[in-house]
Amino acid sequence: MKTHFTHIITLLSFLYISSFSIVSAQESQWDDVSLKLTGIGCPYCSIGFIKKVESLGEVKDMDAVYETGVFTFKIRTDAAIRIESIQEVTVDTDYTLVYAEITHPDGTTDLYGDRPKK
Amino acid sequence: MKQKFFFILAVVLLHTMPAEAQGPPIIGDKAIMLGQSLSLVRNLTEIRSTSVGTFTQSQLMFHYLPTSRSLFAVHIPAVYRSGFASELDNGGLEMGDIQLKGKYQFYVDNGIGETFRIAAVLLQNLPTSTRSNTRRLSPGEYMSYQGLIFAYESVHYGLAGELAYTWEPTTDEDSFVQKVSVGLPLLTPAYPLKQINLYFEYRSQYHVETGRYELLASQGIQYAYDAATVEVAYQTPLVQSEGFTVQQLHSWYLGARYAF
């Protein structure tokens, strides 16, 4: 009896930990986004663009190199961001999208334009 | 002497600052729009010392961009007058002239780390001030201001210019207005946004019917963090015709804005 009880407890613990891991895995799904824009001449001018991007979904690790117009960030996969979403944001803020690459957690990528040379 | 000092200071700073980028002008208008459906709330307070007393005008401004290239705004000012010698003019707080503004950006040329834009602006002054003798801050008359704003922004510096005509059908104060501003950053551009910018702004106004003319220069500093800025500027006349019944001595500008 005691052995059965121990097995049940072990099984429940395993299920609980497994479900926690699945939830954690879902929460850690992020798309990597890299963009190159023309027209951003000052950081404050880009605040509209940044706010529009943040309105698409939860964003983290945002970085911007204003000299080259390159923005990189991670956005939650459940935001279902697509190249069209990025194009819409750049049109709304009057910048020109030169290049965009979205890398999904499964390794697939959406690409627009030519990759900038390193 | 003053003119030479400001000119030399501007030239020296233009050539020595580690310029990387900048934000919106403090006193002048901007041709660059922030983006469709965005709003901006701003306060700009001018403390103007004149030959007859001190005018302090605090404007609360609400801007909204219905499209990426258009902007509508309303400016609601309050004017406080102090230091007046005349017994008939004992100062106090009063309503200023409410202004309605529309702006449309019709030319955009984007490059890597730079942009050149031109916008048309129309500002309509409504005579809502309780006393008309607050003129030059709140004219107390119907006045329309039609202009073109040019802006070049790069990651190294910002230049803006404005050509405008003010039309006051009930007075002889119609004038041509020209504005120039140069913005220089002190910090390397980075995310999250944090900037300290220096601004050198010039404004000239020629009154076509009276021939009066003035040229004002201002130096300002702006701190921008994320979507907010705070700024302060000092303005002084370089040239001012004697025909003005009220001579401007100098002005301080204090401002803050937040985009959302």
Side-chain angles (χ1 to χ4, degrees):
Chain A
M1 187 64 186
K2 191 178 178 183
T3 310
H4 285 290
F5 181 73
T6 308
H7 286 165
I8 288 166
I9 293 295
T10 307
L11 183 63
L12 287 174
S13 303
F14 176 76
L15 288 172
Y16 175 74
I17 292 166
S18 300
S19 64
F20 183 74
S21 303
I22 289 163
V23 170
S24 298
Q26 284 174 342
E27 283 180 352
S28 63
Q29 300 279 294
W30 297 87
D31 290 343
D32 288 303
V33 183
S34 178
L35 312 171
K36 185 177 174 72
L37 303 171
T38 61
I40 295 186
C42 73
Y44 187 80
C45 305
S46 71
I47 193 69
F49 172 77
I50 291 167
K51 284 190 174 293
K52 291 272 180 189
V53 166
E54 288 172 345
S55 71
L56 296 175
E58 189 183 341
V59 170
K60 70 174 186 178
D61 300 341
M62 171 81 82
D63 193 23
V65 182
Y66 289 94
E67 289 86 348
T68 58
V70 172
F71 284 73
T72 54
F73 56 89
K74 292 179 188 294
I75 187 163
R76 285 281 293 271
T77 302
D78 55 17
I81 190 171
R82 295 288 176 266
I83 294 293
E84 291 75 21
S85 323
I86 302 292
Q87 283 175 318
E88 197 172 315
V89 167
T90 53
V91 167
D92 283 353
T93 48
D94 237 345
Y95 298 121
T96 309
L97 184 64
V98 176
Y99 157 82
E101 183 171 7
I102 304 170
T103 306
H104 302 290
D106 62 5
T108 58
T109 59
D110 298 337
L111 191 64
Y112 172 84
D114 298 324
R115 279 194 181 91
K117 290 171 185 171
K118 296 284 182 184
Chain B
M1 188 63 188
K2 266 184 185 174
Q3 281 173 287
K4 281 184 182 172
F5 171 76
F6 288 122
F7 178 74
I8 292 167
L9 186 65
V11 170
V12 168
L13 286 167
L14 271 170
H15 287 87
T16 57
M17 288 293 174
E20 295 292 347
Q22 63 295 310
I26 297 170
I27 300 171
D29 207 345
K30 58 192 183 303
I32 294 170
M33 310 285 195
L34 292 178
Q36 184 177 356
S37 304
L38 282 165
S39 301
L40 185 132
V41 61
R42 187 182 181 203
N43 174 258
L44 185 65
T45 299
E46 179 184 356
I47 304 164
R48 180 181 292 182
S49 296
T50 72
S51 54
V52 298
T54 301
F55 296 94
T56 301
Q57 176 168 271
S58 186
Q59 278 191 311
L60 194 56
M61 309 175 188
F62 300 98
H63 293 190
Y64 177 70
L65 289 88
T67 71
S68 64
R69 293 192 172 190
S70 59
L71 177 148
F72 289 107
V74 58
H75 300 172
I76 303 168
V79 181
Y80 181 73
R81 296 129 49 81
S82 60
F84 287 80
S86 166
E87 290 179 4
L88 297 173
D89 196 356
N90 53 9
L93 184 66
E94 61 199 54
M95 179 79 178
D97 288 345
I98 291 175
Q99 295 176 329
L100 304 174
K101 184 161 102 174
K103 191 160 57 174
Y104 183 73
Q105 178 188 275
F106 61 88
Y107 180 81
V108 176
D109 186 9
N110 287 334
I112 295 172
E114 63 181 359
T115 189
F116 177 69
R117 303 187 183 201
I118 306 175
V121 62
L122 174 64
L123 186 139
Q124 180 62 49
N125 195 80
L126 305 174
T128 54
S129 58
T130 46
R131 275 190 284 192
S132 64
N133 53 3
T134 57
R135 68 169 311 106
R136 304 190 71 207
L137 273 176
S138 280
E141 304 283 350
Y142 283 103
M143 185 268 286
S144 67
Y145 177 103
Q146 307 97 30
L148 290 175
I149 308 167
F150 309 84
Y152 171 78
E153 293 277 358
S154 80
V155 292
H156 303 296
Y157 58 90
L159 295 172
E162 192 170 337
L163 295 173
Y165 186 78
T166 66
W167 180 51
E168 288 187 34
T170 55
T171 73
D172 59 356
E173 298 287 346
D174 290 7
S175 61
F176 282 109
V177 178
Q178 302 89 38
K179 296 178 189 174
V180 174
S181 77
V182 180
L184 296 170
L186 300 182
L187 300 179
T188 302
Y191 183 86
L193 305 181
K194 194 186 292 181
Q195 295 175 255
I196 299 176
N197 305 309
L198 292 181
Y199 269 95
F200 300 87
E201 298 183 64
Y202 300 87
R203 177 184 195 276
S204 72
Q205 189 162 9
Y206 174 71
H207 294 260
V208 293
E209 292 173 65
T210 60
R212 291 179 304 201
Y213 175 76
E214 64 184 343
L215 172 62
L216 308 169
S218 66
Q219 290 75 52
I221 188 163
Q222 177 183 68
Y223 176 68
Y225 182 79
D226 194 37
T229 69
V230 289
E231 50 234 353
V232 60
Y234 176 77
Q235 186 183 60
T236 186
L238 299 180
V239 179
Q240 196 168 199
S241 299
E242 290 184 0
F244 287 108
T245 50
V246 176
Q247 292 283 316
Q248 180 174 344
L249 304 177
H250 60 80
S251 286
W252 282 98
Y253 288 85
L254 306 169
R257 76 188 85 195
Y258 181 73
F260 56 96

